Amino acid sequence: MHTTKTKNSFWMILGLFIIVYGCTPGHKDAGPEWTIANMGELFKAPPKGINSRWVSPENPTGEKGKGGLTNKGAKGNAFFIIAPGEKKVLFDVKGAGIINRMWLSGTIGVNQIQRRAVRIDMFWDGCLKPAVSAPVGDFFGIGLGLIAKYDNALFSSPEARSFNFTIPMPYRKSALITLTNESAEEVWIWYDINYLELDKLPGDAMYFHAFWNRNLKTTPGEDCVILPKVEGTGRYIGANIGVIGDPLYRGTWFGEGEAKIYLDGDQSHPSLVGTGTEDFIGSGWGQGEYASRSFGSLVSDRDSDIYAFYRYHIADPVYFHQDCRVTLQQMGSADKNQLLKIREKGGAVIPVWLLGKDGNKTFQRRLLDEANPPKIEDREFPVTATNYYRSDDVSATAYFYLDKPENNLPELPSLQLRLKDLERRVFKVLRKK
């Protein structure tokens, strides 16, 4: 039987869910404005046994009555300096609680190398393996070491020089958050982490996880892995994805690939599948720059094939009871003449689908289902819209909740892989714009 305090904790968590997501579980996304019922949560008396706490450089432990101790209470310890190679503990709290928000500013917000070179790790309940491990910029919702103004259901950067998250992160015994400076320069870090102390969490409260990876050159015809198979019961929250297109494909469209989510024993075919990359993030017929609560495209440079976009499953929950795996096809669109030029330059091209007109009638041809499909160089291969498998540089941060504080996924890749070619293929290119 649940105690009164446990029940009160549950209702506080439900209230947090409403405030963060603007709706109750199972209800349609209410949009950015709260309903009257949602706002009612703001003036309810706090349940007993739940206390508000902040951790920042001015109160590194978050203890009651321990804030602003330096410089006789004046602003005296507003930030930390993290030397190259140093690991800094930002949050180290014992007992049960829920982290609800983190704000971070300083050199990371304005230094593109540090956004990829500084890593953030989060450990729950004394585990040695982090549940969250990612480059700090990617973790806060935008990839490729880039920054933009954005505000969505989970992350924001109001003026493109700071980061925020508003994500409930429960823990039962302890929580530890560290920043490791793997850059060659000092990191100056202003931050606060806002959390609630609880007597006890509900039994069904899950742990927050985040996983980052990068594939420098995807294999044509093999889907790019966004989230490897994670085992347990949980909820897939979504991902932000960065794509650096191979210059060999320049001038053609990159985003025909379908997102696929494999659930609870799915093998060859997924249970959930989209219809195209820009469709999956709420747009269509191309992909410009936009930001909304659950999906957006923060960087969209078609001339240089540089993209950073996100999709979060807030109003459309993705639950799993056994395991979950997420992939994204690397598929573009071009016509026959463009494909021939790509191949002449050494680019890999595998045509998979044709769309065209035969008189007044529209036709689709699923080339991989045909016994003897035409080759690109054949005279009978139509000069029309052709979807084709291609190879690009893809990185992603995937977010999910799991019923355990550790996961079975690989560790964060090396700094060398995280930074490889970013200066030449992203930073230098965009500086010229």
Side-chain angles (χ1 to χ4, degrees):
M1 178 179 290
H2 292 299
T3 66
T4 300
K5 289 183 178 179
T6 302
K7 291 180 179 178
N8 285 340
S9 298
F10 172 79
W11 290 112
M12 175 60 76
I13 292 168
L14 179 61
L16 289 169
F17 190 101
I18 292 170
I19 291 171
V20 172
Y21 297 129
C23 59
T24 54
H27 284 64
K28 187 178 179 181
D29 189 346
E33 296 185 1
W34 293 331
T35 66
I36 293 175
N38 299 154
M39 293 185 70
E41 297 295 325
L42 296 178
F43 55 77
K44 280 190 175 181
K48 293 181 180 179
I50 296 181
N51 300 306
S52 298
R53 298 286 183 260
W54 291 5
V55 163
S56 74
E58 290 284 13
N59 187 352
T61 65
E63 293 178 75
K64 176 176 170 55
K66 298 292 185 179
L69 297 183
T70 62
N71 203 27
K72 297 187 183 301
K75 184 174 181 176
N77 198 38
F79 68 100
F80 291 135
I81 297 176
I82 309 175
E86 181 184 358
K87 178 186 291 185
K88 181 68 177 177
V89 173
L90 301 187
F91 188 92
D92 187 2
V93 171
K94 302 298 188 290
I98 304 175
I99 295 169
N100 294 305
R101 173 185 178 268
M102 179 177 178
W103 160 79
L104 179 150
S105 185
T107 57
I108 296 172
V110 296
N111 185 312
Q112 55 199 12
I113 295 296
Q114 289 186 351
R115 289 194 286 266
R116 258 290 161 88
V118 179
R119 62 184 288 171
I120 186 167
D121 293 278
M122 300 184 182
F123 305 79
W124 312 129
D125 291 359
C127 291
L128 298 179
K129 182 180 179 181
V132 170
S133 190
V136 70
D138 294 73
F139 172 76
F140 277 94
I142 179 170
L144 304 180
L146 299 175
I147 192 73
K149 295 179 182 180
Y150 57 96
D151 183 8
N152 58 50
L154 303 182
F155 303 101
S156 66
S157 181
E159 296 186 81
R161 58 175 181 263
S162 64
F163 293 110
N164 298 269
F165 74 65
T166 49
I167 305 171
M169 299 182 182
Y171 51 92
R172 287 176 169 80
K173 300 177 182 178
S174 64
L176 174 68
I177 301 176
T178 63
L179 275 190
T180 304
N181 181 10
E182 297 182 13
S183 78
E185 301 178 84
E186 288 182 341
V187 167
W188 292 23
I189 174 73
W190 285 256
Y191 77 97
D192 62 58
I193 300 173
N194 307 346
Y195 69 106
L196 295 177
E197 288 182 337
L198 303 177
D199 291 331
K200 186 178 180 181
L201 285 176
D204 58 357
M206 297 188 294
Y207 296 91
F208 181 80
H209 294 250
F211 171 80
W212 185 90
N213 72 338
R214 182 182 183 187
N215 189 332
L216 293 169
K217 192 173 181 62
T218 60
T219 301
E222 294 184 12
D223 294 352
C224 180
V225 176
I226 303 303
L227 177 65
K229 183 178 175 181
V230 61
E231 298 173 346
T233 298
R235 175 176 176 175
Y236 174 64
I237 298 298
N240 80 77
I241 300 168
V243 175
I244 309 170
D246 191 316
L248 293 171
Y249 303 104
R250 192 67 45 79
T252 68
W253 168 239
F254 93 103
E256 291 299 325
E258 296 178 345
K260 299 179 180 179
I261 302 179
Y262 298 77
L263 301 173
D264 300 335
D266 287 344
Q267 297 297 324
S268 299
H269 301 286
S271 292
L272 311 181
V273 61
T275 61
T277 304
E278 83 274 38
D279 306 339
F280 186 59
I281 59 173
S283 188
W285 294 77
Q287 181 177 321
E289 294 185 353
Y290 58 97
S292 65
R293 285 177 55 78
S294 299
F295 34 71
S297 177
L298 301 177
V299 178
S300 181
D301 190 323
R302 186 162 183 171
D303 293 337
S304 305
D305 272 355
I306 299 172
Y307 301 90
F309 49 93
Y310 62 90
R311 172 71 158 94
Y312 303 135
H313 301 274
I314 306 302
D316 58 330
V318 177
Y319 298 122
F320 56 94
H321 303 274
Q322 177 182 331
D323 54 63
C324 178
R325 179 167 64 95
V326 182
T327 66
L328 180 66
Q329 294 174 323
Q330 292 309 288
M331 183 184 294
S333 178
D335 64 28
K336 173 180 180 176
N337 295 327
Q338 290 173 311
L339 294 178
L340 287 173
K341 290 179 181 178
I342 292 170
R343 198 171 67 175
E344 287 171 5
K345 292 185 290 186
V349 170
I350 303 176
V352 299
W353 183 83
L354 297 171
L355 175 67
K357 286 281 189 179
D358 184 3
N360 292 324
K361 186 176 181 180
T362 300
F363 68 82
Q364 301 180 60
R365 290 182 60 180
R366 300 169 181 84
L367 298 179
L368 300 186
D369 286 340
E370 295 184 7
N372 295 295
K375 298 178 180 179
I376 303 173
E377 64 271 17
D378 293 345
R379 184 184 298 272
E380 62 269 25
F381 195 100
V383 182
T384 189
T386 304
N387 287 355
Y388 67 99
Y389 285 130
R390 53 184 276 167
S391 174
D392 294 304
D393 179 337
V394 182
S395 54
T397 309
Y399 311 94
F400 57 98
Y401 284 97
L402 199 62
D403 61 347
K404 44 197 168 187
E406 289 184 316
N407 60 60
N408 59 294
L409 302 181
E411 296 182 355
L412 180 68
S414 69
L415 176 65
Q416 180 182 8
L417 185 142
R418 302 199 312 262
L419 291 179
K420 185 174 177 59
D421 293 333
L422 285 189
E423 172 61 33
R424 178 176 62 86
R425 298 186 63 190
V426 178
F427 303 153
K428 185 176 180 180
V429 171
L430 295 182
R431 276 197 299 268
K432 293 179 179 179
K433 297 291 184 178

